[in-house]
Amino acid sequence: MILPEANYVVDTQGQKVFVQVSVQDWENLIHEIKRMEDLLAFKAKLKEAFREVRQIKRGEIQGVSLSELIDEVTFLPNS
């Protein structure tokens, strides 16, 4: 993503206090932030899944069969 052009509002001492960007750039930034949040959530879930696989291999927790997993996923509420 290319950083948007920004205009700065400064106080009487010349310190930047606000940033102005176009509405389109703002919407693009918000969209990109949401996309990154989704990717971070997916990464966290994936790390947890690999952690569970290691625990199953060590016999620390019980795994589930594919049919049990499908049954579990089938009954999840729509988000």
Side-chain angles (χ1 to χ4, degrees):
M1 177 182 162
I2 298 174
L3 294 178
E5 183 178 320
N7 297 308
Y8 298 96
V9 177
V10 296
D11 63 15
T12 56
Q13 287 80 37
Q15 299 295 313
K16 296 176 185 174
V17 291
F18 297 103
V19 177
Q20 295 176 328
V21 295
S22 71
V23 171
Q24 183 63 47
D25 285 342
W26 176 253
E27 290 173 351
N28 289 342
L29 285 169
I30 296 301
H31 175 77
E32 189 66 16
I33 289 169
K34 289 179 181 178
R35 191 180 74 80
M36 292 293 178
E37 288 174 338
D38 290 344
L39 286 172
L40 287 172
F42 176 75
K43 180 181 176 183
K45 289 178 183 179
L46 196 56
K47 286 176 82 171
E48 177 61 25
F50 280 109
R51 187 176 302 114
E52 287 179 10
V53 168
R54 287 191 301 272
Q55 289 176 314
I56 291 168
K57 286 183 176 182
R58 291 190 301 253
E60 297 171 359
I61 62 173
Q62 180 70 35
V64 297
S65 69
L66 180 57
S67 61
E68 290 171 321
L69 178 63
I70 291 171
D71 288 343
E72 183 180 324
V73 172
T74 303
F75 293 110
L76 287 177
N78 292 334
S79 4

